[in-house]
Amino acid sequence: MRKQLLVTVDRGETRVAILESEGSPSANSGGRGRNNSDDWRVAELYIERRGSRSIVGNIYKGKVDNVLPGLEAAFVDIGFEKNGFLHADDVVFPGVEVARRGRGGRAKGKRITELLKPGQEILVQAIKDPLKTKGPRLSMQLSIAGRYLVYVPQGEGVGVSRRLDDKERDRLRRAAGKAELGEGGVIVRTAAQGATKEDFEREIKYLHKLHDVLQQRATETPAPAMAFQEADLSVRVARDIFSGEFEKAIVDDRKQHHRLESFFNRTAPELLERLAFYEDDEPLFERYNVDDAIQSVLKRRVDLPSGGYLMIDYAEAMTVIDVNSGSFTGRGKGAKLEDTITKTNLESAEEVVRQLRLRDIGGIIVIDFIDMARARNRDTVLKTLRKSLDEDRTKTYVVEISPLGLVEMTRQNVTDGVREIMTKPCPTCEGEGVVLSEETVSIEVDRQLRELAVERPGSPAFLIRVHPKVSSILVGGQGVPGPIVEIEQETGRHFHFEGTEALPIDRFEVVLEGSREDVEERALPFREGEEVLVLIEEPHMYNDDDGVAKLDGYVISVINAASLVGERTLVRIEKVGRSAAQASLVNPPEDTGSQDGEQHD
């Protein structure tokens, strides 16, 4: 698999994209892909905005706010609006055994209430960003990440990433064992593939220096405060994943390019030749179609090449992905239903993993594959899903396919994905995804008008602000009276309406109450005989020769104006109603005028 790293910086945000393409990586290919940018697919996206950086990896000097034995946890003030959550499993004190999750009877070691007290100052590290209504997740097991090693000051021994093959893991363990690593423990990272003892010794010295700075800041800084900040997005991604399988790291910002250059100089000089500065006029993300990928993560539907599609729905407790065959009906005249379903599911399994990585979806995920009759086909789909997940750096756990064709899985949720960063809940529906229908609102307005007449008996007329689609149902049209006629007869009151398309559909507001003359003076936008310049927007729905103009939701039917659609023209108001008026052309076209003359003779 060939890979590229793209970094683009704008005034308000830094964006990073990881591109993948089939084939073997080649450091000598130049990696620019100028003529083959369509060969690359966006695999992962990261966005970091100024003032709202991820806090994962940051270390804080916090103050214990509360200890809850029932939750086996403490809440720690680290200077944020919401306190951080520190579970007993993440409490670490040198030489002290801490009681872990006590679900299986009496746990050994000291309970959290014996180790932490309100007001106590402790060093904690953010291991999960604040998500939705929850504060950050914290741990007292501190770690400082480098390119090849993760230094764990309170740990011991050497661990090696399980994503490496057994032979390389053994070699790295031996190399790390021979190196002078000092006190504490280390974890050898996946990026350390091919690293030597000298690489480890050089990096551990740097990590020890960072730890010394951390200790000094923790001593001098009053709680709550940050004592250590993780690197910014571009350096973090380059440190964690940039390796020999990447052909290029292309950056369009001088400052970020210099930061990465300094980072590679210190950690991996051999990769410096793969760092390139982008100077072309065409935006970097446009050249590699990354902007299209960013827009795609905001959509529910994901189309598959065969004609099938995925529907991705986000809920509070989980994310549900539904697989549909769509227009795909199989290949050839002899195509069988089971084969068609299996092919769609196999294609979907690969695309599901791509979407999980692209959108950075975490938590519980349920995938509803199309039901397959044969166990062999179900196993093939599950195997394809798991194989695709090998490319995913985030920790996942997959359960077997259920008899209903459902796959349950979890994916570690550490920080907000691109969708969460770029969007906010709809202010109209508050994230529900639905709003009241016009008919439902009009029925509710009917009730409110009747109640209004009872509550305010001294006012003979009212001007009500509602959405135009609601008022059109109440008023009626085309010779068919609406409910307002019956309401006025029963209440003895007169009601007029105003409002624009910009109003929320369920808006109801009493704008004016008083005499009928006063309300009509305000409510009716025109007077009979008045001449108005209007834009003929569309032909009349029922009278083919007429045209329709609209002003803030008020409809004007213009006689013999169908030929003037898209043009501005002067009309004379002939008749005025609650929500609509009739008008005639002041200067009708010559052919229209002659036709009218013939009709009147």
Side-chain angles (χ1 to χ4, degrees):
M1 183 72 72
R2 300 161 57 212
K3 297 184 179 183
Q4 287 197 89
L5 178 69
L6 308 183
V7 180
T8 183
V9 180
D10 298 305
R11 179 186 58 81
E13 66 183 6
T14 299
R15 297 180 294 170
V16 175
I18 297 173
L19 275 55
E20 293 180 349
S21 180
E22 296 296 329
S24 302
S26 172
N28 299 322
S29 66
R32 289 184 170 81
R34 294 192 176 186
N35 299 322
N36 300 305
S37 59
D38 291 340
D39 296 339
W40 296 93
R41 294 188 72 186
V42 182
E44 296 178 31
L45 285 169
Y46 302 94
I47 295 179
E48 187 170 82
R49 291 184 172 168
R50 294 177 184 176
S52 58
R53 284 180 55 171
S54 169
I55 68 169
V56 173
N58 291 356
I59 298 175
Y60 297 87
K61 186 177 183 180
K63 183 179 291 185
V64 178
D65 185 59
N66 198 8
V67 182
L68 303 177
L71 292 178
E72 298 181 18
F75 287 94
V76 183
D77 180 10
I78 59 172
F80 283 65
E81 181 181 351
K82 292 184 179 179
N83 288 340
F85 180 81
L86 175 64
H87 195 273
D89 289 354
D90 298 311
V91 174
V92 176
F93 284 98
V96 178
E97 184 178 6
V98 181
R100 303 304 178 189
R101 294 182 189 268
R103 296 180 182 176
R106 179 69 180 173
K108 296 181 180 179
K110 291 189 175 183
R111 294 177 60 82
I112 191 170
T113 50
E114 300 176 75
L115 298 170
L116 297 177
K117 304 293 181 184
Q120 181 178 344
E121 294 184 352
I122 55 176
L123 275 181
V124 291
Q125 186 167 34
I127 57 176
K128 185 181 288 190
D129 276 327
L131 298 174
K132 297 180 180 177
T133 59
K134 299 178 181 178
R137 179 75 182 267
L138 307 175
S139 174
M140 291 179 67
Q141 180 71 277
L142 308 182
S143 63
I144 303 175
R147 175 165 175 76
Y148 301 127
L149 302 173
V150 176
Y151 174 49
V152 186
Q154 301 112 311
E156 57 184 20
V158 177
V160 183
S161 169
R162 295 182 180 178
R163 296 181 69 87
L164 297 167
D165 60 63
D166 292 341
K167 185 177 179 181
E168 180 64 7
R169 290 184 70 204
D170 291 340
R171 188 193 71 79
L172 290 172
R173 194 184 300 275
R174 289 194 301 271
K178 295 176 183 178
E180 293 290 337
L181 299 178
E183 296 182 357
V186 296
I187 300 170
V188 181
R189 312 188 68 180
T190 308
Q193 184 169 4
T196 63
K197 177 173 78 77
E198 290 73 23
D199 293 327
F200 293 150
E201 289 179 341
R202 182 178 67 247
E203 181 153 285
I204 199 64
K205 288 180 182 178
Y206 175 70
L207 297 179
H208 280 159
K209 287 180 181 178
L210 289 180
H211 183 246
D212 292 340
V213 172
L214 164 63
Q215 292 293 344
Q216 183 178 352
R217 288 179 182 171
T219 303
E220 298 171 351
T221 307
M226 182 170 62
F228 173 83
Q229 186 174 29
E230 255 283 30
D232 60 19
L233 177 63
S234 58
V235 174
R236 207 162 61 236
V237 173
R239 178 195 68 196
D240 293 347
I241 67 171
F242 197 77
S243 59
E245 62 183 349
F246 279 78
E247 291 186 356
K248 278 283 181 182
I250 307 175
V251 188
D252 69 358
D253 180 73
R254 285 286 182 193
K255 187 180 292 185
Q256 288 293 336
H257 182 269
H258 179 68
R259 286 181 183 175
L260 289 175
E261 195 173 43
S262 300
F263 173 74
F264 285 133
N265 255 324
R266 178 173 49 80
T267 62
E270 70 279 3
L271 296 178
L272 261 177
E273 62 180 14
R274 305 191 186 197
L275 179 64
F277 179 66
Y278 185 82
E279 300 181 88
D280 289 4
D281 293 334
E282 183 181 8
L284 177 60
F285 270 28
E286 277 189 27
R287 167 156 292 174
Y288 287 91
N289 302 317
V290 181
D291 285 335
D292 294 338
I294 291 175
Q295 292 302 315
S296 74
V297 304
L298 306 180
K299 298 177 181 177
R300 272 184 78 213
R301 175 166 170 154
V302 179
D303 291 317
L304 303 172
S306 66
Y309 62 92
L310 308 178
M311 295 297 289
I312 303 176
D313 291 307
Y314 302 85
E316 184 70 22
M318 67 183 72
T319 302
V320 180
I321 303 177
D322 185 33
V323 178
N324 297 278
S325 59
S327 61
F328 180 60
T329 56
R331 304 296 185 200
K333 295 182 179 180
K336 297 180 181 179
L337 176 62
E338 179 75 5
D339 295 338
T340 301
I341 291 173
T342 303
K343 177 173 174 54
T344 303
N345 283 341
L346 287 172
E347 191 176 43
S348 299
E350 295 179 353
E351 185 61 31
V352 162
V353 174
R354 178 173 178 265
Q355 291 299 320
L356 294 182
R357 296 175 63 197
L358 194 61
R359 299 168 185 240
D360 198 16
I361 297 174
I364 298 173
I365 300 158
V366 176
I367 308 167
D368 183 11
F369 286 106
I370 306 172
D371 292 345
M372 293 168 284
R374 297 176 187 170
R376 180 182 64 190
N377 292 336
R378 292 196 292 271
D379 292 342
T380 302
V381 170
L382 191 62
K383 187 176 180 181
T384 301
L385 180 69
R386 285 178 167 151
K387 183 180 178 182
S388 299
L389 284 170
D390 288 343
E391 291 292 328
D392 189 5
R393 298 182 300 114
T394 304
K395 185 162 47 177
T396 57
Y397 173 70
V398 182
V399 183
E400 300 292 325
I401 293 185
S402 74
L404 296 177
L406 301 178
V407 171
E408 299 171 16
M409 64 174 288
T410 61
R411 188 172 185 269
Q412 191 175 28
N413 197 8
V414 174
T415 187
D416 283 329
V418 174
R419 176 178 176 270
E420 288 72 28
I421 292 172
M422 293 182 63
T423 63
K424 68 175 185 178
C426 169
T428 301
C429 71
E430 297 180 349
E432 293 293 332
V434 294
V435 295
L436 296 174
S437 68
E438 295 89 344
E439 184 178 10
T440 300
V441 176
S442 68
I443 293 172
E444 179 60 29
V445 170
D446 185 325
R447 298 189 189 103
Q448 290 176 303
L449 294 178
R450 296 174 190 275
E451 291 174 5
L452 190 62
V454 174
E455 293 172 358
R456 306 182 188 183
S459 299
F462 297 88
L463 175 60
I464 309 297
R465 181 171 291 145
V466 295
H467 194 281
K469 291 181 179 178
V470 175
S471 62
S472 66
I473 293 176
L474 291 167
V475 173
Q478 303 305 321
V480 180
I484 195 64
V485 176
E486 183 180 335
I487 296 171
E488 289 184 337
Q489 289 174 349
E490 293 180 2
T491 62
R493 306 288 191 277
H494 292 278
F495 298 97
H496 285 273
F497 303 102
E498 72 171 20
T500 67
E501 293 286 345
L503 285 175
I505 194 70
D506 58 352
R507 181 69 174 270
F508 179 89
E509 180 185 352
V510 179
V511 178
L512 179 66
E513 58 181 295
S515 68
R516 182 172 180 178
E517 291 76 14
D518 290 343
V519 171
E520 287 185 349
E521 178 72 23
R522 165 73 184 272
L524 301 179
F526 309 111
R527 298 291 173 267
E528 293 181 4
E530 185 177 352
E531 294 185 355
V532 185
L533 183 65
V534 298
L535 172 66
I536 307 298
E537 296 187 12
E538 58 191 44
H540 198 284
M541 184 178 295
Y542 301 103
N543 301 321
D544 294 340
D545 294 334
D546 297 349
V548 173
K550 296 179 182 178
L551 291 175
D552 291 332
Y554 194 83
V555 177
I556 305 173
S557 299
V558 184
I559 300 171
N560 293 328
S563 62
L564 301 176
V565 172
E567 298 181 21
R568 291 189 178 276
T569 187
L570 194 64
V571 300
R572 182 179 296 107
I573 304 298
E574 305 290 352
K575 184 178 180 181
V576 180
R578 279 192 179 88
S579 62
Q582 290 184 352
S584 60
L585 295 170
V586 174
N587 298 305
E590 293 183 5
D591 56 343
T592 303
S594 63
Q595 290 175 6
D596 289 345
E598 291 174 4
Q599 291 173 356
H600 289 297
D601 285 344

